[in-house]
Amino acid sequence: MLRTMFILIALAHFLYGIYYDLSYVVFPKGFFSEASSNLGRWKFLTFWNMILQAVYFTVCLANDFLGSNEVNPKKVPFIRKLKDYMYCSVAFPVAMFVGLTFWGLMAIDRELVFPKALDPYFPGWLNHVMHTNIMIFTVIEMLVTFRQYPTRSKGLAGLTGFMCIYLVWTHVIYFKSGEWVYPVLDVLNWGQRVVFFVALLMLGNILYIAGEFLNNTVWAKELTARQGGSGRKKAH
């Protein structure tokens, strides 16, 4: 019951953030180029992540009622497999990636990622919903719900695929509008951008491995019991 309440709170939190951003955050005409403005929030990884987290916690809610949170069920329902894979491959690493890169760049020079000119139109609490709370909720979710990570190759394939799709999207936006989604890309030449993108992909992989390590540490006893149960089933 407590886990379900947490999931409902997290889901409501992300849905309200998305609703408020779409309904009440309005930038003055001419603030962005027309081509860039037409893409709305969909050009930002932060918004992609908000949608991702909302979808993930919806799957979590469905699993609570239709699936199973047991450590070692006789048959793992599809909704449980989907939930676990989503969390491991994208929900955790992307949430941490968005939060850490945003606040890291803010600490270096906020004009590179969130210029002061945005402050009158984008409330501070919504900024924390999108860039701080995402990390808090995803860590809590790891602590309250058991999961077994997939093979590393499968998990990293999902994460790398997601990040590459967004990377292609940023270039589509640039070639259509002449603007980079994030100001930091304006101060880099093409060689530096390639290095920057590779570094970001590596960071995503590191965060995946960190999530795997943290999960396996938190749930070490349960994972051992699950593996033991699987071994007995095979022997039987």
Side-chain angles (χ1 to χ4, degrees), residues 175-221:
F175 289 118
K176 281 185 171 292
S177 68
E179 291 183 0
W180 287 106
V181 174
Y182 299 103
V184 64
L185 297 173
D186 279 321
V187 303
L188 304 176
N189 60 41
W190 276 104
Q192 292 169 331
R193 288 185 195 116
V194 171
V195 173
F196 183 67
F197 292 139
V198 171
L200 292 180
L201 289 172
M202 290 177 63
L203 174 60
N205 287 358
I206 290 171
L207 290 172
Y208 175 92
I209 295 170
E212 181 184 58
F213 173 79
L214 180 59
N215 181 79
N216 292 350
T217 300
V218 171
W219 298 100
K221 187 181 297 184

Side-chain angles (χ1 to χ4, degrees), residues 59 96 106 110-111 137 147 150 157 161 169 182 208-209 228 230:
V59 173
M96 299 303 292
M106 280 282 283
R110 68 167 297 176
E111 296 301 312
F137 277 108
R147 71 192 46 77
W169 179 233
Y182 299 103
Y208 175 92
I209 295 170
S230 299

Side-chain angles (χ1 to χ4, degrees), residues 41-71:
R41 309 304 189 267
W42 294 101
K43 58 182 177 285
F44 298 115
L45 180 59
T46 293
F47 193 74
W48 280 39
N49 182 52
M50 288 286 285
I51 298 293
L52 171 64
Q53 300 302 323
V55 171
Y56 170 71
F57 279 101
T58 299
V59 173
C60 287
L61 189 62
N63 180 69
D64 272 13
F65 291 100
L66 303 175
S68 171
N69 286 302
E70 294 180 32
V71 171

Side-chain angles (χ1 to χ4, degrees), residues 9-89:
I9 291 170
L11 179 58
H13 170 273
F14 291 121
L15 289 176
Y16 183 72
I18 293 167
Y19 165 75
Y20 189 93
D21 187 21
L22 291 173
S23 302
Y24 297 104
V25 177
V26 180
F27 297 103
K29 194 171 182 179
F31 198 89
F32 297 108
S33 71
E34 183 178 352
S36 182
S37 297
N38 289 338
L39 293 168
R41 309 304 189 267
W42 294 101
K43 58 182 177 285
F44 298 115
L45 180 59
T46 293
F47 193 74
W48 280 39
N49 182 52
M50 288 286 285
I51 298 293
L52 171 64
Q53 300 302 323
V55 171
Y56 170 71
F57 279 101
T58 299
V59 173
C60 287
L61 189 62
N63 180 69
D64 272 13
F65 291 100
L66 303 175
S68 171
N69 286 302
E70 294 180 32
V71 171
N72 195 20
K74 291 182 179 179
K75 183 178 180 181
V76 182
F78 171 77
I79 192 71
R80 162 71 176 274
K81 293 179 180 178
L82 176 63
K83 177 186 76 73
D84 287 356
Y85 185 76
M86 280 188 67
Y87 183 87
C88 301
S89 62

